[in-house]
């Protein structure tokens, strides 16, 4: 058995790298749906459908768990798949399988509270002391998942999202650094204007953005804390595996990289991030 990691493209590799470092003996299969990237501007139905197909592919390859290393898929498709499709699918397959997202761990990291800590009857917002800015795809921003879930848990935090419609695609195609820098500066400035000041902390709410975390850090005021999803997800996965021994992560330390797009070497941003070129097989 193995752990599957899914994204529309190379963004999920930023999460995958942290997961394999944390669980070096586990077997990992990464699937990038590059035939359909970016997901950020697609309809909800399309995203649910593509995410289901990606999960099926990974379960067929032997994954017991699939980590959706994609905010867009996790915020739009995860609950729907878990509630309406996965139980029947697991029964047909005849073995335990599950899909995990990355929104819950990110919200736990942002609120400093366990997911179960939901305020039953949220009081009025107190005077806000902490403003979190979320940079994400239009799909994730439209789901308002970060606003809704953080709001349920912390009355002293305000969340503002900034949708970045072109950024994942630019990163997927390794756009020149200057183009990435200008795009990011534009979004940081747009968010500052909307809030009336810079956020106190920021969530890079698209896994592609982790490749350019340094450019976000430069565009934001010095020392603005960034909430890094890869670490939050690795912490959550480790805890999950301890509590759920029925999901076998494998023990051979193998790594496979599959794509629905063009097989071969991934772009220079990926190679720089991983410290070596990564070659993908056709899915
Ligand atoms: N990396 C993905 C995310 O975290 C998706 C980017 C896209 O396909 O638009 O949202």
């Amino acid at each position: 058995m193995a752990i599957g990691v899914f994204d529309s493209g190379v963004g999920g590799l930023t999460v995958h790298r942290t997961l394999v470092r944390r669980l070096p003996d586990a077997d990992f299969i990464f699937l990038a749906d590059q035939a359909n990237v970016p997901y950020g501007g697609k309809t909800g139905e399309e995203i649910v459908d593509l995410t289901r197909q990606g999960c099926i592919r990974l379960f067929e390859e032997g994954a017991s768990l699939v980590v959706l290393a994609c905010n867009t898929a996790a915020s739009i498709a995860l609950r729907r798949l878990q509630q309406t499709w996965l139980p029947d699918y697991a029964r047909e397959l005849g073995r335990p399988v599950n899909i995990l997202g990355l929104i819950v761990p990110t919200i736990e990291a942002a609120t400093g509270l366990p997911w179960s800590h939901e305020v039953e009857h949220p009081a009025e917002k107190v005077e806000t002391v902490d403003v979190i800015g979320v940079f994400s795809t239009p799909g994730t921003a439209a789901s308002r998942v970060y606003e809704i879930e953080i709001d349920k848990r912390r009355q002293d935090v305000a969340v503002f999202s900034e949708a970045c419609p072109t950024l994942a695609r630019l990163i997927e195609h390794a756009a020149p650094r200057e183009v990435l820098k200008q795009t990011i500066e534009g979004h940081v400035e747009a968010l500052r204007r909307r809030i009336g000041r810079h956020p106190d902390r920021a969530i890079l709410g698209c896994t592609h953005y982790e490749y350019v975390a340094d450019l976000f850090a430069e565009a934001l005021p010095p020392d603005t804390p960034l909430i890094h999803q890869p670490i939050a997800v690795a912490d959550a996965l480790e805890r999950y595996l301890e509590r759920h021994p029925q999901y076998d992560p494998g023990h051979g330390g193998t790594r496979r990289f599959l794509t629905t797009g063009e097989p071969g070497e991934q772009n220079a941003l990926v190679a720089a991030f991983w410290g070596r070129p990564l070659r993908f097989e056709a899915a």
Side-chain angles (χ1 to χ4, degrees):
M1 292 290 110
I3 296 174
V5 182
F6 177 74
D7 185 30
S8 57
V10 295
L13 289 168
T14 61
V15 173
H16 180 272
R17 189 185 71 164
T18 304
L19 298 184
V20 300
R21 285 181 179 170
R22 197 68 76 80
L23 299 167
D25 297 335
D27 294 307
F28 279 92
I29 312 163
F30 183 88
L31 172 61
D33 188 13
Q34 289 175 309
N36 295 296
V37 70
Y39 279 13
K42 293 194 191 304
T43 65
E45 283 309 312
E46 286 172 321
I47 293 166
V48 170
D49 209 47
L50 292 170
T51 306
R52 184 193 297 113
Q53 288 171 32
C55 290
I56 291 174
R57 187 79 184 89
L58 285 164
F59 290 136
E60 282 173 348
E61 289 289 337
S64 57
L65 284 175
V66 169
V67 177
L68 297 182
C70 173
N71 288 263
T72 314
S75 60
I76 291 164
L78 176 58
R79 196 169 292 179
R80 173 108 166 260
L81 294 179
Q82 280 173 331
Q83 288 176 348
T84 64
W85 167 74
L86 192 62
D88 287 343
Y89 178 78
R91 245 188 314 278
E92 273 167 37
L93 208 58
R95 62 182 172 89
V97 288
N98 202 2
I99 310 172
L100 307 178
L102 74 186
I103 308 284
V104 171
T106 308
I107 286 171
E108 288 183 329
T111 57
L113 294 168
W115 183 248
S116 55
H117 186 105
E118 197 173 303
V119 181
E120 280 278 309
H121 300 290
E124 290 288 294
K125 279 264 176 203
V126 299
E127 191 185 344
T128 298
V129 293
D130 194 11
V131 174
I132 298 184
V134 182
F135 297 94
S136 73
T137 66
T140 303
S143 79
R144 297 185 52 76
V145 66
Y146 286 106
E147 284 89 333
I148 292 167
E149 298 298 341
I150 292 176
D151 219 50
K152 284 184 198 164
R153 292 168 175 80
R154 289 281 300 262
Q155 269 61 65
D156 55 344
V157 175
V159 181
F160 289 83
S161 285
E162 168 70 9
C164 311
T166 59
L167 190 53
R169 187 162 30 83
L170 291 173
I171 293 167
E172 191 67 33
H173 295 110
R177 200 169 154 83
E178 196 46 42
V179 174
L180 295 167
K181 184 172 149 60
Q182 277 171 20
T183 307
I184 289 165
E185 283 172 356
H187 287 299
V188 168
E189 176 53 19
L191 186 65
R192 188 197 63 76
R193 269 191 268 114
R194 201 138 40 78
I195 305 175
R197 66 174 175 93
H198 280 294
D200 300 304
R201 297 185 283 151
I203 295 176
L204 301 187
C206 168
T207 52
H208 281 74
Y209 303 172
E210 201 60 32
Y211 288 108
V212 286
D214 60 327
L215 293 178
F216 274 99
E218 278 172 29
L220 287 160
D223 302 325
T224 304
L226 296 181
I227 294 158
H228 290 283
Q229 293 195 308
I231 295 167
V233 177
D235 291 345
L237 179 62
E238 254 186 327
R239 289 196 301 268
Y240 188 86
L241 287 169
E242 274 164 26
R243 290 198 311 272
H244 298 91
Q246 68 270 37
Y247 299 109
D248 176 8
H251 306 281
T254 60
R255 280 75 182 104
R256 292 180 62 204
F257 298 92
L258 308 178
T259 179
T260 58
E262 280 294 305
E265 211 160 278
Q266 295 298 313
N267 74 39
L269 269 179
V270 176
F273 188 83
W274 274 70
R276 66 183 167 87
L278 280 188
R279 288 191 71 79
F280 278 35
E281 318 162 31

